[in-house]
């Protein structure tokens, strides 16, 4: 699935913050979101795609797309019920 | 449920940061985190404590860390810890022996300290942990 241009209900900009900044920001946003909503995380930390993938699998949310635009990762997470 | 057990034996930034990063990441991932602060690590639990640098061996790199903290690219250790504490899945124990050595009482410590504990209590809490680390 293509990520670029995908619709997201919430966008979290965690660019230029290092681990664990992006994941903390994402977890906070996902915790406040409604089931079925898509949260988009923008991150420049090179560990973010892997960290988000592992975190999502562990807590039961779905990483539906991973894209990269320049140095910026765009990670799309669908919030589970 | 997965669990991480951490013994924190240093009050320096380069030791506190990885300790709280792992505990908070575990907590926001649904794990339980048990943290035992002992020896110099206990000093980090004093009310209003601000870490005053890195371990002496790595003093040459302290400027880099300070730059990253100042720019916000690395969050402060207390900020990271507070995010984890908000999940309710991190428990913090203060070593009773060290507390006595420094003539401290629980009221001298931050309110997020769950209890004063000895080795047997921490072993009981940490028992069965999936990840166990001594950070010093």
């Amino acid at each position: 699935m293509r990520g670029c241009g995908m619709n997201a209900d919430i966008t979290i900009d965690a660019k230029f913050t290092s681990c664990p900044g992006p994941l903390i920001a994402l977890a906070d946003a996902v915790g406040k979101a409604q089931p079925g909503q898509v949260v988009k995380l923008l991150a420049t930390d090179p560990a973010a795609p892997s960290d988000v993938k592992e975190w999502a699998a562990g807590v039961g949310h779905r990483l539906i797309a991973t894209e990269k635009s320049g140095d910026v990762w765009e990670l799309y997470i669908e919030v589970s019920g | 449920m997965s669990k991480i057990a951490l013994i924190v034996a240093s009050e320096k930034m380069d030791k506190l940061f990885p300790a709280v990063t792992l505990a908070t990441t575990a907590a926001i991932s649904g794990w339980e985190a048990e943290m035992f602060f002992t020896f110099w690590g206990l000093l980090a639990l004093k009310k209003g404590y601000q870490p005053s640098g890195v371990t002496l061996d790595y003093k040459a790199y302290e400027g880099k860390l300070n730059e990253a903290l100042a720019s916000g690219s690395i969050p402060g250790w207390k900020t990271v810890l507070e995010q984890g504490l908000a999940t309710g899945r991190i428990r913090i124990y203060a070593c009773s022996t060290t507390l006595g050595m420094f003539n401290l009482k629980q009221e001298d410590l931050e309110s997020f300290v769950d209890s004063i504990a000895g080795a047997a209590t921490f072993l009981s809490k940490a028992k069965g942990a999936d990840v166990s680390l001594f950070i010093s």
Side-chain angles (χ1 to χ4, degrees):
Chain A
M1 187 186 295
R2 277 184 59 77
C4 285
M6 261 187 74
N7 288 329
D9 299 292
I10 298 152
T11 298
I12 301 297
D13 186 350
K15 296 194 300 289
F16 313 114
T17 67
S18 305
C19 165
L23 195 61
I24 288 174
L26 175 65
D28 187 48
V30 167
K32 292 172 181 160
Q34 300 300 313
Q37 285 190 312
V38 172
V39 178
K40 173 182 176 179
L41 176 72
L42 303 176
T44 48
D45 181 350
S50 164
D51 277 4
V52 168
K53 184 180 165 196
E54 294 295 336
W55 174 79
V59 298
H61 300 300
R62 207 156 68 91
L63 177 62
I64 54 175
T66 299
E67 288 291 327
K68 198 175 185 197
S69 172
D71 292 332
V72 181
W73 289 98
E74 297 178 9
L75 306 169
Y76 294 81
I77 293 89
E78 188 181 72
V79 179
S80 69
Chain B
M1 187 178 291
S2 299
K3 178 158 75 176
I4 185 169
L6 295 163
I7 297 173
V8 185
S10 168
E11 87 291 25
K12 296 296 185 185
M13 277 195 291
D14 53 328
K15 304 300 162 67
L16 291 173
F17 190 80
V20 299
T21 294
L22 290 171
T24 290
T25 302
I28 66 175
S29 302
W31 295 33
E32 298 296 324
E34 308 284 350
M35 302 184 83
F36 187 65
F37 285 72
T38 187
F39 272 77
W40 332 125
L42 180 84
L43 298 172
L45 300 180
K46 281 175 71 177
K47 276 181 183 154
Y49 174 77
Q50 298 290 335
S52 60
V54 302
T55 314
L56 206 52
D57 281 355
Y58 307 107
K59 204 77 181 164
Y61 308 111
E62 191 175 301
K64 276 281 171 212
L65 180 56
N66 284 333
E67 273 174 37
L69 287 166
S71 76
S73 70
I74 292 185
W77 80 281
K78 196 67 82 62
T79 305
V80 173
L81 178 61
E82 280 165 0
Q83 297 278 356
L85 289 170
T87 66
R89 284 190 286 271
I90 295 182
R91 274 163 305 279
I92 295 188
Y93 308 100
C95 167
S96 62
T97 301
T98 323
L99 207 69
M101 185 170 78
F102 285 117
N103 291 317
L104 293 170
K105 294 188 165 49
Q106 183 151 7
E107 53 262 37
D108 298 316
L109 305 179
E110 293 279 11
S111 58
F112 57 69
V113 175
D114 288 276
S115 65
I116 296 169
T121 303
F122 181 69
L123 284 175
S124 162
K125 303 291 184 186
K127 191 174 179 184
D130 303 274
V131 176
S132 309
L133 296 170
F134 185 96
I135 298 179
S136 171

